[in-house]
Amino acid sequence: MVEQVGYGVTRFAPGDRVYGMPWFPRAAGAFADYLTAPARHLAPMPDGLGFTEAAALPLAGLTAWQILTEVAGVAAGQRVLVSGAAGGVGHLAVQIAKARGAHVIGTASPPTHEFVRALGADEVTDHRTGPPARDVDVVVQMFGGEHGLTALRALRPGGLLVSGQSAWTPGLHERAAELGVRAVGYLVDPDAAGLAALTDLIHKGQLSPHVSETFPLTEAERALNLLAEGHTTGKVVLTVTD
């Protein structure tokens, strides 16, 4: 909720419901009751979305949106593999790729397979086995290490792997070149236009953030420890109450 606006701000007024990802990758001071942010880092909250769900969307949603639309240019009929399809970025990437008409393959642990299918995935495989698929056009890779190297083998010749964890996958780019495919790392940017696109998908019923657990702001350390375990479904959100 906007409390005050600075000189020259015309997009918002006090009382407006907004959401966003200010300053990233700089620290925004978001583990707090209040923060300041450039107006262009925010967008109006989608109608019908509560503050908890809205808080879950910007970082993961913009990561998925920018990878799929700006980096990979995913189009109808393409085959898209989403690693960690039940996770924060993954569960949104599945929905965005489906909204763009792609055939979506998700990798996830067996207990979350039904969740991933409910998101719209056409195929779901166990992330611990494999190469998980073949003749894939685009891989959205959110695990580092051996997972990324394995996922390269799923790509068709000339296919593209976009990794949010390339810094934790030594040899990824070299191995991609050996296989005749492409691999790039990606870091999300604040993006009001991207937020507006996510809002449009929500209003069309094509995108819904899943919040698996919430923690009060005083338990931020506990929430971060849970995320570090790497087994959450969807998003974990900190709540601020008066």
Side-chain angles (χ1 to χ4, degrees), residues 69-140:
T69 65
E70 298 178 12
V71 182
V74 168
Q78 288 190 309
R79 288 168 58 82
V80 175
L81 172 66
V82 179
S83 75
V89 174
H91 87 287
L92 298 171
V94 168
Q95 296 174 74
I96 294 169
K98 283 301 298 181
R100 296 182 70 81
H103 179 94
V104 180
I105 305 141
T107 72
S109 60
T112 63
H113 282 191
E114 287 306 314
F115 170 73
V116 176
R117 288 191 184 93
L119 297 172
D122 299 285
E123 303 175 42
V124 187
T125 65
D126 190 337
H127 71 281
R128 298 168 298 183
T129 61
R134 294 292 185 186
D135 298 320
V136 169
D137 296 285
V138 176
V139 174
V140 180

Side-chain angles (χ1 to χ4, degrees), residues 34-53:
Y34 298 94
L35 61 83
T36 60
R40 293 289 174 180
H41 290 186
L42 304 171
M45 273 177 50
D47 295 335
L49 210 64
F51 284 107
T52 299
E53 291 74 22

Side-chain angles (χ1 to χ4, degrees), residues 5 11 36 72-73 90 107 113-114 116 120 160 175 187 230-231:
V5 296
R11 300 180 68 236
T36 60
T107 72
H113 282 191
E114 287 306 314
V116 176
L160 174 65
R175 182 59 178 152
L187 185 64
H231 301 300

Side-chain angles (χ1 to χ4, degrees), residues 32-241:
D33 296 294
Y34 298 94
L35 61 83
T36 60
R40 293 289 174 180
H41 290 186
L42 304 171
M45 273 177 50
D47 295 335
L49 210 64
F51 284 107
T52 299
E53 291 74 22
L57 191 57
L59 176 59
L62 286 176
T63 299
W65 174 260
Q66 291 172 10
I67 285 174
L68 290 166
T69 65
E70 298 178 12
V71 182
V74 168
Q78 288 190 309
R79 288 168 58 82
V80 175
L81 172 66
V82 179
S83 75
V89 174
H91 87 287
L92 298 171
V94 168
Q95 296 174 74
I96 294 169
K98 283 301 298 181
R100 296 182 70 81
H103 179 94
V104 180
I105 305 141
T107 72
S109 60
T112 63
H113 282 191
E114 287 306 314
F115 170 73
V116 176
R117 288 191 184 93
L119 297 172
D122 299 285
E123 303 175 42
V124 187
T125 65
D126 190 337
H127 71 281
R128 298 168 298 183
T129 61
R134 294 292 185 186
D135 298 320
V136 169
D137 296 285
V138 176
V139 174
V140 180
Q141 180 64 31
M142 299 313 299
F143 290 113
E146 190 63 30
H147 290 282
L149 298 174
T150 299
L152 289 172
R153 303 204 303 272
L155 288 166
R156 62 165 177 77
L160 174 65
L161 180 147
V162 186
S163 175
Q165 300 287 344
S166 61
W168 289 271
T169 310
L172 177 67
H173 301 90
E174 294 79 3
R175 182 59 178 152
E178 292 172 0
L179 293 172
V181 299
R182 297 171 293 153
V184 297
Y186 189 73
L187 185 64
V188 64
D189 293 316
D191 181 5
L195 291 170
L198 296 177
T199 294
D200 184 58
L201 290 178
I202 290 169
H203 288 166
K204 291 177 177 177
Q206 295 176 309
L207 182 66
S208 178
H210 174 78
V211 177
S212 61
E213 197 163 355
T214 62
F215 293 86
L217 186 60
T218 54
E219 296 184 20
E221 182 178 4
R222 184 170 157 229
L224 292 173
N225 288 337
L226 177 64
L227 289 174
E229 294 174 3
H231 301 300
T232 56
T233 299
K235 292 289 291 179
V236 171
V237 173
L238 295 178
T239 59
V240 179
T241 56

